Amino acid sequence: MRTALLKVPLAAAWLLLHAECAFGSPAPLPDNVHSHAEKRLWMSTPEVTQLPAGIPDYYPIKRARSPQPPSGVHVPAPKDHPYTNEQDGHADFNRYSARSNTAPGYQYKAPTLQGVNSVLDPNKQSPLDTGAAIVYKAATSPYSPNGTLIDLSKFAAPLPTNKWWENLIIAQGIDPIHPYPYRVTCLANASTIGFPQFQATATSMTSSGAADWTVGDASGSFTKRLVTDTDALGVQVTWTGSTAAKMNARFYKGMPFVTYSFTSAAPMLQTIHAIMKVEQLARTVNSNGVSSASDAVELTKELTEKPSLTQVTLNDNSQWLIASQPPIQWKETGASALVSQASSAYTGFIQIAHLGSNPSANLDVLQTYAGTYPIQGDVTYAQIQNSQGTTRSSDVVLFYRTNTDEGGDSSTVYSTTDVPTSMQLLSFVLPHHVDMLPSSALLKPGLSGYRSAKGPLTAVAGNIITYSQPLTSVSFEGTRELSAADKATVQKQLLVDVASNADVTAEDPYFFGKGIAKVARLYQIAQEVQDTASASKLSALLVKYLTPWLVSKSNSDPLVYDQTWGGVVSTQGLADPSSDYGQGRYNDHHFHYGYFMYAGAVLAKYDINAFAPFREAITQLLRDFANPSYADKYFPYMRHFDPYDGHSWAAGLFTFGDGRNQESTGEAVNAYYGAYLLAQALGLDDTANFYEIVLNMEATSARRYWHPTRAQAAQLYMSPFIHNVVGILWSSKADYATFFGADTQYMYGIQMIPFTPATTMLLHADWVKEAWCPDGSTCTDGMKLAAKQSNNDGWAQLLYTAYSVVDRSTALSQVSQCTPDNGNTLTNVLHWIATCGQQAS
């Protein structure tokens, strides 16, 4: 969530969480503005008169009082924000639990997978964590965790800040979360479940927000709900009150059933629709192979343990399956509620599932797997493998412990060998999973009529989902060496940029990061072209610019360590959530600090002695947004990255009805690229391998969901939303717009910056060719038209640079006529075209 900086009429200026690139000349600073505190309020933005279509109207907006100052310091603008135990007997697996002053040896005891050799053990201390004290000044956030939303007796800093379920623990905690395919809210006295209906226009794909069912206690005993547990893939919520009654739910993405566990309660299901039909279904099991008395005994036992099943039809024509164990005989109260016929308190679980677009066929599948639900989710990244010559990959393993697992809570070895079908976990996977899963892993017959904001959901069965993530190798250098002619051209331009475009004067973390990474790119290129004089100057500049931020902490907006949540934030961002793009509330840290990582990595590679004074400060920033260890007492594990979706989420501690979002996939890729390079430069091979896997997962999801072909877009987002680019992808919607404008160049450009060798992971030639002129020879849409309309500014240069993977000569004829944005140089553009674009003929 950030912006481009362009001139704008004051009445139309709208300042948002997310500023991506600054192009164009700044306007004069008014005479009555003098102080830095005042200067930070000024920012010019695109010439728009209203929020782009598809952006929620409650998105934080604040009017600019004046254009940007002329100093070249691109400072952030203020934004207003409108928000300020499974079952008894199941152990809590809380990775963020209180750590008794983070006593040495704290480890999260996750189950291990037989036959899987993890690339990095997340329960051990990371080599990035040297045990040194935090080098940033300690501070306290004015925004404290809310003890009425999260059980602070079980949780202590570092706390999660960008998880897909973050809405549960911020603001009032009543905004929805989106455990595909459902929309769930958790109120103080109940939970709601909705089955979203998706609809598309040319500019957005959105989903309805109806709460089809409300789940609670018929006696109204629930008065408090808390997040009581989390794991790598999901979250647990617990409802209690003044009596012994209790309700638990664990929410995971891709679960066809939403499961609630009750203790001494009176379950009630209430719907906003009228109930048309309630039908008790017979319980069945697979009797094939029953050939002995012992088989018959086992069959009887299995039948007894299966939940009872009830099919409910509502007046909106939707059909639902309700499973309960022990069995509940439901009775209607009024026209829209179901309660148990039994008068005694109930202890057990109920499951609710929508029957999709083909209720009869889906019912056959759902009733087979009813009764099994996850009690813990985890992910393992396997060691990198080489196969078929130079092809490299890593197995990514999503695995779940369930209520039916043998071994109970004491089990440390996880296996699904010989688990009966009726005890296996049924779940959904996303399109990018399907791309990498063997076809044999997909359930046949499956389930139809279920989707998410990322397209159709596909059913799989089994407690382990393993797919092979292909790895594209990237390094500090481009994909090929410079030719002699290209080397001469790049070196000539390098001298110009070292003399005139190697300054870094920004005062906020984001634009300073862009600036320092720009200098580091020039340094990297100087080393490649063996220009030792330029390299020496650039190395000195890196040290000069990094020192106030990372050593002396003498810059005007110093970074501090927030002890309240556990993370490094800017001083101004901590004091004012509208400053520094929400940085103090943990928005976009991966975007901001990824630039620092790249600069640190290049300096470490070529001058480890010059890097030494910055090492601890840099690695602590890396631990802030991409900490690979649960044992770290200062930073949460992988702050932004979502292993199920395969990409990161932004938005920090700000709540949105559409869930989390991510706009700039280019900067997300850059974040893990910088992390990978830094670990590599420091000789931390296992850590580098881990980041390489995460980097490739981020790029894979970015290509699949933000860079679709038109055919893919029609499948994922539905016609007429058939664009080659998505501007913002949310948990429950997709926008053909950005937070700073709806111009086409913004949407394409924001998914590309910054241009580094890692950008090749996003810009595949087939996609660029289609996106350049997607409607054929007329080119009334796409990158070509956007580049022309950009009037040779920084956006146009980005688009022409991207086009070089298809047409080198056209790209070269255009890029030199464009003005680079403040995080780029013509040297970098020419180098990228020569080493990553189409080869010279």
Side-chain angles (χ1 to χ4, degrees):
M1 305 181 308
R2 271 166 339 277
T3 56
L5 307 180
L6 301 172
K7 296 184 70 174
V8 61
L10 296 184
W14 43 281
L15 306 177
L16 308 157
L17 281 178
H18 198 129
E20 209 76 73
C21 313
F23 305 129
S25 302
L29 184 68
D31 294 336
N32 62 342
V33 176
H34 306 288
S35 69
H36 172 74
E38 289 177 297
K39 284 184 180 180
R40 71 188 182 90
L41 300 177
W42 316 110
M43 186 170 107
S44 19
T45 49
E47 292 197 24
V48 295
T49 56
Q50 60 184 4
L51 211 59
I55 304 297
D57 57 12
Y58 54 78
Y59 196 84
I61 301 173
K62 194 164 189 176
R63 303 291 182 185
R65 293 183 299 167
S66 169
Q68 181 163 325
S71 63
V73 178
H74 298 292
V75 293
K79 282 73 55 179
D80 284 339
H81 295 283
Y83 351 91
T84 46
N85 289 323
E86 184 29 48
Q87 292 174 292
D88 293 339
H90 287 307
D92 282 341
F93 296 96
N94 179 10
R95 289 185 157 174
Y96 300 100
S97 58
R99 296 181 171 115
S100 61
N101 293 325
T102 57
Y106 167 80
Q107 299 238 343
Y108 168 66
K109 303 298 184 184
T112 58
L113 285 173
Q114 293 177 327
V116 177
N117 186 11
S118 178
V119 69
L120 196 67
D121 186 346
N123 302 304
K124 293 182 178 179
Q125 183 171 321
S126 164
L128 296 169
D129 182 359
T130 63
I134 295 294
V135 301
Y136 300 97
K137 181 181 178 181
T140 302
S141 175
Y143 186 70
S144 300
N146 188 339
T148 67
L149 301 177
I150 183 170
D151 188 346
L152 295 178
S153 70
K154 295 182 178 181
F155 291 82
L159 292 165
T161 60
N162 283 269
K163 299 306 177 187
W164 65 267
W165 46 262
E166 200 74 31
N167 276 356
L168 294 175
I169 64 172
I170 52 179
Q172 299 179 50
I174 60 175
D175 287 290
I177 59 173
H178 303 272
Y180 321 136
Y182 301 103
R183 179 185 188 272
V184 169
T185 63
C186 296
L187 311 175
N189 62 347
S191 175
T192 71
I193 304 169
F195 187 73
Q197 300 298 316
F198 288 85
Q199 50 278 323
T201 68
T203 57
S204 66
M205 184 197 70
T206 58
S207 59
S208 64
D212 296 299
W213 291 98
T214 299
V215 183
D217 178 68
S219 64
S221 61
F222 298 147
T223 59
K224 181 179 182 180
R225 73 91 176 148
L226 293 171
V227 168
T228 52
D229 193 18
T230 68
D231 57 44
L233 297 173
V235 61
Q236 176 178 284
V237 181
T238 301
W239 286 261
T240 56
S242 58
T243 68
K246 183 169 76 169
M247 180 173 77
N248 281 343
R250 294 190 79 99
F251 300 109
Y252 293 93
K253 292 180 182 177
M255 295 297 132
F257 291 97
V258 182
T259 304
Y260 296 89
S261 300
F262 291 85
T263 303
S264 301
M268 181 174 73
L269 308 179
Q270 191 163 6
T271 176
I272 62 171
H273 311 287
I275 297 174
M276 305 302 292
K277 184 178 180 181
V278 179
E279 180 182 3
Q280 191 77 23
L281 304 180
R283 289 184 288 170
T284 61
V285 295
N286 186 354
S287 60
N288 293 337
V290 176
S291 59
S292 65
S294 62
D295 287 343
V297 170
E298 286 299 315
L299 185 64
T300 302
K301 180 175 182 288
E302 187 177 346
L303 181 59
T304 303
E305 293 175 348
K306 289 284 286 184
S308 66
L309 302 174
T310 303
Q311 186 173 353
V312 180
T313 303
L314 304 179
N315 70 341
D316 66 343
N317 295 320
S318 67
Q319 296 187 46
W320 297 76
L321 179 65
I322 302 171
S324 58
Q325 178 66 12
I328 293 178
Q329 297 294 320
W330 297 100
K331 68 177 181 179
E332 297 181 53
T333 62
S336 60
L338 297 173
V339 296
S340 173
Q341 293 185 14
S343 58
S344 58
Y346 180 79
T347 297
F349 67 84
I350 65 170
Q351 296 180 292
I352 304 174
H354 194 281
L355 289 178
S357 61
N358 190 345
S360 178
N362 290 339
L363 177 61
D364 290 340
V365 176
L366 288 167
Q367 64 183 349
T368 300
Y369 296 92
T372 299
Y373 57 88
I375 62 173
Q376 181 198 357
D378 217 319
V379 60
T380 290
Y381 308 94
Q383 288 282 357
I384 293 174
Q385 307 168 28
N386 291 306
S387 60
Q388 298 180 355
T390 59
T391 302
R392 300 163 64 247
S393 65
S394 170
D395 284 344
V396 178
V397 187
L398 306 175
F399 61 100
Y400 302 87
R401 292 185 62 208
T402 73
N403 61 315
T404 62
D405 290 345
E406 294 187 18
D409 300 318
S410 62
S411 175
T412 58
V413 177
Y414 188 87
S415 174
T416 56
T417 305
D418 300 326
V419 173
T421 297
S422 61
M423 296 174 66
Q424 290 181 11
L425 183 67
L426 180 67
S427 57
F428 288 119
V429 292
L430 292 167
H432 80 282
H433 296 132
V434 174
D435 295 343
M436 294 180 282
L437 281 167
S439 60
S440 59
L442 307 180
L443 190 63
K444 300 178 182 66
L447 294 167
S448 60
Y450 300 86
R451 66 173 296 121
S452 72
K454 291 184 172 72
L457 297 170
T458 303
V460 296
N463 301 27
I464 299 177
I465 303 169
T466 302
Y467 64 91
S468 182
Q469 171 66 57
L471 302 180
T472 298
S473 298
V474 290
S475 65
F476 286 89
E477 295 82 18
T479 55
R480 60 179 177 271
E481 293 183 3
L482 288 164
S483 67
D486 286 334
K487 181 178 178 180
T489 299
V490 169
Q491 189 164 13
K492 180 180 179 181
Q493 183 60 39
L494 176 66
L495 296 175
V496 175
D497 283 323
V498 170
S500 62
N501 196 16
D503 59 317
V504 185
T505 56
E507 300 174 8
D508 70 286
Y510 175 65
F511 283 108
F512 174 81
K514 287 189 69 174
I516 200 67
K518 173 186 71 175
V519 176
R521 278 298 295 152
L522 292 174
Y523 183 30
Q524 168 68 39
I525 293 168
Q527 293 285 355
E528 288 186 47
V529 300
Q530 299 171 323
D531 184 341
T532 56
S534 293
S536 179
K537 292 178 183 178
L538 292 163
S539 176
L541 286 176
L542 285 174
V543 171
K544 172 187 173 183
Y545 294 138
L546 286 171
T547 296
W549 280 83
L550 303 180
V551 179
S552 65
K553 317 297 192 304
S554 58
N555 59 302
S556 62
D557 187 13
L559 300 174
V560 295
Y561 177 76
D562 168 26
Q563 300 175 99
T564 305
W565 292 87
V568 179
V569 298
S570 68
T571 298
Q572 291 182 15
L574 191 66
D576 178 3
S578 67
S579 290
D580 295 348
Y581 313 108
Q583 218 259 9
R585 295 278 179 91
Y586 296 96
N587 178 54
D588 292 0
H589 278 206
H590 56 325
F591 298 160
H592 295 195
Y593 296 152
Y595 288 111
F596 286 75
M597 293 309 105
Y598 180 80
V602 174
L603 188 60
K605 178 184 180 183
Y606 292 109
D607 194 343
I608 194 65
N609 291 327
F611 174 76
F614 309 110
R615 176 168 181 156
E616 198 61 48
I618 288 279
T619 54
Q620 287 177 16
L621 290 183
L622 175 53
R623 287 159 59 197
D624 173 272
F625 77 87
N627 165 34
S629 169
Y630 287 104
D632 196 311
K633 64 185 181 181
Y634 292 113
F635 303 98
Y637 180 81
M638 298 299 290
R639 188 182 299 280
H640 296 273
F641 190 70
D642 186 328
Y644 178 86
D645 287 78
H647 65 77
S648 299
W649 294 111
L653 300 175
F654 301 105
T655 184
F656 300 99
D658 295 306
R660 303 294 92 190
N661 67 71
Q662 181 157 273
E663 180 184 54
S664 178
T665 54
E667 288 178 314
V669 165
N670 182 64
Y672 302 113
Y673 174 58
Y676 166 65
L677 294 184
L678 182 62
Q680 192 179 71
L682 297 178
L684 306 178
D685 293 341
D686 289 342
T687 305
N689 289 341
F690 169 75
Y691 287 134
E692 185 180 16
I693 296 167
V694 173
L695 165 62
N696 276 269
M697 291 174 69
E698 187 83 39
T700 295
S701 287
R703 289 196 308 272
R704 191 66 165 94
Y705 302 120
W706 281 265
H707 288 192
T709 64
R710 289 213 159 182
Q712 289 173 335
Q715 178 207 36
L716 297 178
Y717 307 118
M718 307 187 303
S719 182
F721 192 96
I722 55 171
H723 307 288
N724 286 109
V725 67
V726 172
I728 312 164
L729 189 57
W730 302 75
S731 301
S732 62
K733 64 181 283 191
D735 281 319
Y736 189 63
T738 70
F739 288 119
F740 51 91
D743 290 1
T744 306
Q745 61 267 32
Y746 302 159
M747 284 172 275
Y748 281 107
I750 212 65
Q751 309 307 341
M752 299 175 185
I753 66 165
F755 269 80
T756 71
T759 313
T760 58
M761 304 172 76
L762 297 172
L763 301 181
H764 288 188
D766 290 345
W767 175 79
V768 173
K769 186 175 182 180
E770 180 178 299
W772 189 251
C773 190
D775 53 0
S777 59
T778 56
C779 292
T780 57
D781 188 17
M783 292 167 59
K784 181 177 182 180
L785 179 64
K788 289 182 178 179
Q789 292 176 338
S790 295
N791 194 29
N792 291 338
D793 64 6
W795 294 112
Q797 190 177 66
L798 294 174
L799 302 184
Y800 286 124
T801 305
Y803 190 55
S804 70
V805 303
V806 174
D807 185 342
R808 170 189 167 103
S809 61
T810 296
L812 284 172
S813 70
Q814 296 294 326
V815 293
S816 298
Q817 302 175 39
C818 301
T819 302
D821 88 289
N822 64 352
N824 202 6
T825 63
L826 183 56
T827 299
N828 182 49
V829 168
L830 296 174
H831 179 272
W832 199 93
I833 292 174
T835 61
C836 300
Q838 185 187 54
Q839 291 195 27
S841 58

